[in-house]
């Protein structure tokens, strides 16, 4: 009898062990994914990054409840190419979308969205797309044509039809996202990308946000009056607040507000038009009365730019808050990854500029915060190099979906969950456009301390910066005595990255210089 009892206990114990093992092998509940991508939002304008230009409480909330990436960068600082990199996990020379001038995204190629779809996810993209072709591989999409408009924007539907929706684009994009979340198949995990037009040029605030920063005077960046000494590519650009920013198109200063034909304004309804005129016309009248000239006028333009830009960013932050509130109210927050990022950085007057494109820090670096309850500890700060190239493999990693071998990015989840994980020692960048704002195409390498850039076509030449001594990148050290060894080391590292990422075009360009760099 004792033997029989012992046998029964052993059988029960074995059954328990087997059940526990089987349970342990079952996949954990897969997270939902929400990626919010804005346009041209500068990290300098986000309070989570220590900026004092404005408060961004909802972006800050993601940072406080998750992670802030202090060293997030892009592979190519321009709108469409950045989105193509996010989707494919590949550099521009691999996914084919190099610039906004000539590129057309080949939607038949693979993307992390397609892989998630095959893995059982329901997928959607709403808002700004800007890839010159219709989305492929999504269960649902509703996108802005091209850059879209701030007021009463048109949207393209999946059947090819267009509809104009009354209102302000940031709020409408959030409305469409929530409508899809309400109607989705709730038996499946979801991946949603919300693409915002804000804060893209021409920085048109929502009606209730107009004037919210008019009582604030913003300090000029220390290098606002940069003279671009020994930096030819910076000298020949055409993106200065002084000479390039347009009084009408950009700053809404017009002699006759009653007969405006500008496209962003003629689409307004009567109420919107009246409030627009009521706000901007007195500013124009005051400007004319003051008759500002020289530096006084340049600095006036800077203040006007900052006020409109930041007021436009306010609606963006408010919309992000709506997304977070929706997840809370619908019991989704605890199992949903939320990433907020811009498609690249932006100049807030540094070097006297607006726009992006350059490999200099304000353009190259992008804001990115991420919340992943139960996985990423709240209040995490990451000092690892990460890139928009890494979004695709990271989302697949989190979802338990195999990462295609041809994706060039790397999952950054280990960097957030393990103190032993090691990230990149260096990053590779390549910008291709040769028309807009007269920024010369260039590629280069950034390490923890140094940056080496090779400009070509419009301007030919190299630039080297010691970011520890010169974080504003004002002193080009290339060719200067004493920097021969570090230059040679960086050039060798750059060669290695060209080989790793198979950028044959850059390799061929350098080969013309005589083989080794």
């Amino acid at each position: 009898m004792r033997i029989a009892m012992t046998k029964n206990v052993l059988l029960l114990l074995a059954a328990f062990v087997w059940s526990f093992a089987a349970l342990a092998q079952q996949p954990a509940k897969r997270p939902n994914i929400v990626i919010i991508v804005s346009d041209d939002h500068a990290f300098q304008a986000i309070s989570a990054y220590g900026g004092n230009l404005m408060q961004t409480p909802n972006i800050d909330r993601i940072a406080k409840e998750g992670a802030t990436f202090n060293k997030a960068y892009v592979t190519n600082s321009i709108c469409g190419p950045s989105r193509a990199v996010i989707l494919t996990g590949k550099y521009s020379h691999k996914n084919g979308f190099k610039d906004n001038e000539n590129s057309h995204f080949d939607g038949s190629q693979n993307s992390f969205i397609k892989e998630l779809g095959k893995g059982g996810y329901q997928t959607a993209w709403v808002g700004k797309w800007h890839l010159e072709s219709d989305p492929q591989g999504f269960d649902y999409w509703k996108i802005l044509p091209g850059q879209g408009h701030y007021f009463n924007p048109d949207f393209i539907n999946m059947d090819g039809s267009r509809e104009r929706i009354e209102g302000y684009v940031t709020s409408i994009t959030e409305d469409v996202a929530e409508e899809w979340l309400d109607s989705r198949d709730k038996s499946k995990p979801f991946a949603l990308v919300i693409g915002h037009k804000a804060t893209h040029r021409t920085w048109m605030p929502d009606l209730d946000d107009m004037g919210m920063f008019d009582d604030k005077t913003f300090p000029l960046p220390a290098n606002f009056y940069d003279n671009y000494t020994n930096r030819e590519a910076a000298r020949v650009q055409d993106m200065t607040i002084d000479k390039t920013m347009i009084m009408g198109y950009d700053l809404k200063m017009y002699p006759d507000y009653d007969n405006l034909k500008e496209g962003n304004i003629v689409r307004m309804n009567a109420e919107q038009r009246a409030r627009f005129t009521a706000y901007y016309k007195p500013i124009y009248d005051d400007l004319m009365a003051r008759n500002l000239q020289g530096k006084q006028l340049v600095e006036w333009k800077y203040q006007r730019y900052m006020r409109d830009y930041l007021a436009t960013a306010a609606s963006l932050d408010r919309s992000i808050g709506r997304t977070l509130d929706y997840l809370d109210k619908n019991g989704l927050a605890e199992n949903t990854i939320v990433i907020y990022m811009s498609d690249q950085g932006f100049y807030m007057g540094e070097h006297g500029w607006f726009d992006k494109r350059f490999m200099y820090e304000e353009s190259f670096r992008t804001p990115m915060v991420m919340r992943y309850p139960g996985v990423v500890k709240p209040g995490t700060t990451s000092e690892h190099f990460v890139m928009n190239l890494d979004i695709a493999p990271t989302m697949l990693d989190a979802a338990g979906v195999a990462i295609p071998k041809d994706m060039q990015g790397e999952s950054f989840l280990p960097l957030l969950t393990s103190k032993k994980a090691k990230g990149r020692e260096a990053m590779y960048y390549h910008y291709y456009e040769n028309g807009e704002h007269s920024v010369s195409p260039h590629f280069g390498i950034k390490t923890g301390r140094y940056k080496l850039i090779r400009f070509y076509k419009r301007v030919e030449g190299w630039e080297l910066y010691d970011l520890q001594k010169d974080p504003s990148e004002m002193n080009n050290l290339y060719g200067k005595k004493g920097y021969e060894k570090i230059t040679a080391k960086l050039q060798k590292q750059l060669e290695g990255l060209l080989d790793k990422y198979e950028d044959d075009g850059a390799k061929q360009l350098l080969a013309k210089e005589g083989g080794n760099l």
Side-chain angles (χ1 to χ4, degrees):
M1 184 175 180
R2 186 177 298 170
I3 294 173
M5 288 180 63
T6 301
K7 186 176 181 180
N8 288 337
V9 170
L10 289 173
L11 288 171
L12 286 170
L13 183 60
F16 174 78
V17 171
W18 181 87
S19 298
F20 182 80
L23 184 64
Q25 291 175 2
Q26 291 179 358
K29 188 177 181 182
R30 292 181 295 172
N32 302 308
I33 296 168
V34 175
I35 301 174
I36 306 169
V37 182
S38 64
D39 200 306
D40 295 345
H41 196 194
F43 66 84
Q44 309 94 294
I46 297 175
S47 45
Y49 282 96
N52 58 6
L53 296 175
M54 67 178 295
Q55 294 299 306
T56 51
N58 297 295
I59 296 173
D60 294 3
R61 178 186 168 190
I62 301 174
K64 291 174 183 176
E65 296 176 359
T68 303
F69 295 86
N70 284 335
K71 294 178 180 176
Y73 291 82
V74 299
T75 66
N76 182 359
S77 183
I78 189 71
C79 308
S82 182
R83 286 165 178 75
V85 169
I86 291 169
L87 274 170
T88 63
K90 298 177 182 179
Y91 272 88
S92 301
H93 62 275
K94 287 291 188 181
N95 67 50
F97 201 99
K98 294 181 177 181
D99 55 47
N100 286 341
E101 296 176 323
N102 306 299
S103 297
H104 185 92
F105 186 67
D106 178 7
S108 67
Q109 66 184 298
N110 201 10
S111 68
F112 82 94
I113 288 293
K114 290 182 179 180
E115 292 296 322
L116 287 176
K118 289 188 286 188
Y121 273 72
Q122 200 170 19
T123 60
W125 186 301
V126 300
K128 183 169 180 179
W129 171 251
H130 200 216
L131 287 172
E132 309 302 327
S133 61
D134 289 343
Q136 293 186 33
F138 292 87
D139 294 306
Y140 174 83
W141 54 265
K142 190 182 186 80
I143 60 172
L144 297 167
Q147 296 285 5
H149 289 90
Y150 278 109
F151 286 94
N152 307 331
D154 295 331
F155 279 82
I156 304 174
N157 296 307
M158 294 183 71
D159 62 3
S161 63
R162 292 196 179 200
E163 62 175 314
R164 183 165 296 187
I165 303 178
E166 199 91 348
Y168 187 69
V169 67
T170 306
S171 299
I172 295 169
T173 299
E174 176 64 21
D175 291 342
V176 173
E178 292 185 20
E179 289 168 5
W180 179 78
L181 286 169
D182 285 339
S183 63
R184 66 187 171 84
D185 181 350
K186 295 179 176 59
S187 68
K188 296 180 179 181
F190 66 84
L192 167 65
V193 182
I194 304 174
H196 282 293
K197 173 177 174 60
T199 49
H200 196 277
R201 190 182 187 186
T202 59
W203 320 295
M204 298 187 74
D206 200 353
L207 297 174
D208 291 337
D209 296 324
M210 290 178 179
M212 67 185 301
F213 292 100
D214 283 4
D215 61 349
K216 186 170 182 178
T217 299
F218 299 96
L220 292 178
N223 59 358
F224 184 79
Y225 287 111
D226 189 352
N227 61 12
Y228 317 118
T229 301
N230 198 27
R231 287 164 289 136
E232 183 63 11
R235 188 188 67 80
V236 303
Q237 51 64 42
D238 182 25
M239 48 192 265
T240 62
I241 292 170
D242 179 6
K243 297 179 180 179
T244 309
M245 192 167 280
I246 302 169
M247 294 296 288
Y249 178 71
D250 289 317
L251 302 179
K252 301 91 181 170
M253 296 291 102
Y254 296 100
D256 184 0
Y257 284 84
D258 294 329
N259 297 295
L260 292 179
K261 303 299 182 183
E262 203 275 306
N264 288 307
I265 298 166
V266 296
R267 66 190 303 111
M268 291 179 174
N269 61 34
E271 179 188 358
Q272 294 165 345
R273 184 75 173 261
R275 291 185 64 180
F276 174 88
T277 300
Y279 174 65
Y280 284 103
K281 187 177 186 302
I283 298 173
Y284 173 81
D285 291 341
D286 177 69
L287 175 64
M288 292 298 100
R290 294 167 67 185
N291 192 30
L292 300 177
Q293 304 292 326
K295 286 188 175 182
Q296 285 187 322
L297 179 58
V298 176
E299 293 175 17
W300 182 94
K301 291 174 72 174
Y302 171 72
Q303 297 297 331
R304 187 69 258 150
Y305 162 51
M306 295 295 286
R307 289 164 182 163
D308 277 353
Y309 179 100
L310 296 174
T312 304
S315 65
L316 171 65
D317 185 73
R318 190 164 58 244
S319 178
I320 292 167
R322 286 183 57 191
T323 301
L324 299 178
D325 290 344
Y326 182 96
L327 297 175
D328 288 340
K329 292 175 184 177
N330 289 275
L332 297 168
E334 291 306 308
N335 192 45
T336 301
I337 296 170
V338 178
I339 292 181
Y340 170 71
M341 64 184 301
S342 177
D343 54 2
Q344 63 259 327
F346 210 68
Y347 292 102
M348 297 275 91
E350 299 86 1
H351 303 284
W353 296 340
F354 66 99
D355 210 68
K356 57 265 183 176
R357 303 170 196 274
F358 279 105
M359 195 184 172
Y360 306 140
E361 287 296 288
E362 294 86 0
S363 168
F364 182 24
R365 183 181 167 193
T366 191
M368 188 166 79
V369 293
M370 173 183 180
R371 187 179 75 179
Y372 190 176
V375 175
V376 176
K377 184 179 178 181
T380 295
T381 299
S382 172
E383 299 295 338
H384 292 287
F385 285 156
V386 298
M387 306 192 80
N388 57 352
L389 187 72
D390 302 329
I391 294 295
T394 301
M395 295 303 96
L396 295 178
D397 186 14
V401 175
I403 301 170
K405 292 181 180 180
D406 61 349
M407 281 191 177
Q408 296 177 306
E410 304 167 11
S411 172
F412 50 69
L413 283 184
L415 303 178
L416 298 173
T417 57
S418 172
K419 293 182 179 180
K420 296 181 180 180
K422 293 184 178 181
R424 294 178 176 84
E425 293 183 358
M427 293 178 292
Y428 177 62
Y429 177 90
H430 196 158
Y431 171 80
Y432 295 86
E433 264 190 33
N434 192 33
E436 190 77 10
H437 289 300
S438 301
V439 175
S440 180
H442 57 285
F443 57 88
I445 180 174
K446 173 184 167 66
T447 66
R449 179 169 178 174
Y450 295 98
K451 185 182 294 181
L452 180 69
I453 310 173
R454 172 62 164 92
F455 290 93
Y456 63 97
K457 287 187 179 178
R458 186 178 298 272
V459 170
E460 295 281 346
W462 292 86
E463 292 183 4
L464 170 67
Y465 297 98
D466 182 340
L467 300 174
Q468 182 174 302
K469 295 180 179 180
D470 179 27
S472 297
E473 297 164 292
M474 300 287 287
N475 184 19
N476 177 16
L477 300 171
Y478 186 81
K480 291 189 176 182
K481 188 176 180 179
Y483 290 91
E484 296 86 355
K485 288 185 178 180
I486 187 60
T487 300
K489 180 180 178 181
L490 289 168
Q491 288 175 335
K492 186 174 182 180
Q493 285 180 280
L494 177 57
E495 284 184 316
L497 291 178
L498 294 180
D499 287 335
K500 176 180 179 179
Y501 295 119
E502 300 176 330
D503 191 343
D504 295 334
K507 289 167 67 175
Q508 290 172 8
L509 188 150
L510 295 177
K512 294 178 181 178
E513 297 185 345
N516 293 330
L517 302 177

